[in-house]
């Protein structure tokens, strides 16, 4: 459970967020993974935003993102070196504008990659303190071109649907517009975004 009072306001601000938006981003990223379907849906643990203090549901300290624990170990290089795991993770991170995907923010065991801590995703223009190790690894390996399935997923995401409405209610207007723009730029270029393009 990532409680809102455990998020440093100054750090969140450096990523273009506040403590509330950081919590909401956790659930918004899960919503995107759910819309994409497998394997992305399997990489991002289920998240709900709620209080777990039933005697004080309005208390700031009790409000947060409750996430299913992902199995595996942190600080594992193997998924970055395996295109079958690296490339979907890079696509997802570029799509959501993940600013903070480093080796402590995913879990891995053979055959299973869990993408954790999406609080500093949904980058808005003008912000980028960090990016995604997976995006960097995919570009470094020369696999920046999107494959036909990824392009199909982007077209499907861009089509009007109820999930767009839900996402729009969750994200700030600038985050929502930046998300749309990331989809459009990848569709226009056929390329995975570079970290500085988030």
């Amino acid at each position: 459970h990532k409680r809102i009072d455990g998020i440093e306001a100054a750090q969140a601000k450096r990523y273009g967020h506040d403590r509330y938006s950081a919590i909401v981003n956790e659930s918004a990223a899960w919503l995107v993974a759910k819309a994409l379907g497998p394997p992305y849906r399997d990489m991002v643990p289920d998240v709900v935003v709620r209080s777990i203090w039933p005697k004080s549901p309005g208390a700031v300290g009790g409000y947060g993102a409750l996430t299913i624990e992902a199995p595996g170990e942190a600080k594992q290089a193997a998924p970055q070196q395996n295109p079958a795991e690296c490339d979907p993770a890079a696509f997802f991170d570029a799509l959501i504008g993940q600013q903070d995907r480093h080796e402590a923010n995913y879990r891995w065991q053979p055959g299973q990659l869990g993408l954790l801590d999406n609080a500093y995703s949904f980058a808005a223009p003008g912000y980028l303190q960090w990016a995604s190790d997976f995006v960097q690894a995919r570009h470094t390996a020369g696999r920046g071109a999107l494959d036909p399935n990824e392009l199909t997923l982007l077209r499907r995401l861009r089509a009007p649907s109820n999930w767009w409405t839900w996402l729009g209610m969750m994200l700030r207007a600038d985050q929502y517009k930046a998300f749309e723009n990331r989809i459009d730029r990848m569709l226009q270029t056929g390329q995975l975004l570079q970290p500085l393009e988030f």
Side-chain angles (χ1 to χ4, degrees):
H1 184 238
K2 179 181 289 187
R3 293 186 347 200
I4 194 168
D5 64 350
I7 295 174
E8 295 181 20
Q11 182 180 15
K13 186 176 181 179
R14 287 195 297 272
Y15 287 99
H17 298 305
D18 57 36
R19 296 190 305 165
Y20 286 92
S21 65
I23 291 298
V24 170
N25 288 345
E26 296 278 6
S27 187
W30 171 75
L31 183 65
V32 172
K34 185 178 177 183
L36 289 170
Y40 313 95
R41 176 64 188 82
D42 302 324
M43 291 180 171
V44 181
D46 293 4
V47 182
V48 294
V49 176
R50 59 168 295 178
S51 171
I52 59 170
W53 292 357
K55 292 184 179 179
S56 184
V60 169
Y63 180 78
L66 187 63
T67 306
I68 292 177
E69 185 176 4
E73 301 293 328
K75 301 183 179 179
Q76 300 294 309
Q80 292 182 43
Q81 298 165 358
N82 178 3
E85 293 175 317
C86 176
D87 290 7
F91 175 75
F92 180 73
D93 280 353
L95 179 62
I96 66 169
Q98 172 60 266
Q99 301 176 94
D100 193 32
R101 179 81 67 218
H102 50 79
E103 60 184 9
N105 284 347
Y106 62 86
R107 298 291 180 270
W108 180 81
Q109 63 184 16
Q112 189 168 9
L113 174 63
L115 302 178
L116 312 174
D117 197 352
N118 295 299
Y120 298 141
S121 55
F122 297 100
Y127 292 94
L128 184 67
Q129 297 296 314
W130 193 260
S132 165
D133 286 354
F134 291 108
V135 172
Q136 188 63 48
R138 182 168 168 177
H139 275 294
T140 299
R143 298 191 306 272
L146 299 174
D147 67 32
N149 181 60
E150 290 169 333
L151 292 169
T152 297
L153 285 172
L154 292 174
R155 292 187 197 99
R156 194 180 79 199
L157 285 182
R158 205 63 178 91
S161 65
N162 286 338
W163 87 273
W164 269 108
T165 303
W166 300 330
L167 193 67
M169 290 188 293
M170 297 172 75
L171 299 178
R172 291 191 327 247
D174 59 340
Q175 291 177 276
Y176 182 78
K177 184 63 177 175
F179 179 72
E180 288 183 311
N181 287 341
R182 283 192 293 275
I183 294 175
D184 291 344
R185 281 182 286 150
M186 286 194 282
L187 280 172
Q188 289 164 6
T189 65
Q191 296 287 318
L192 186 75
L193 294 175
Q194 294 277 0
L196 294 177
E197 297 177 317
F198 285 6

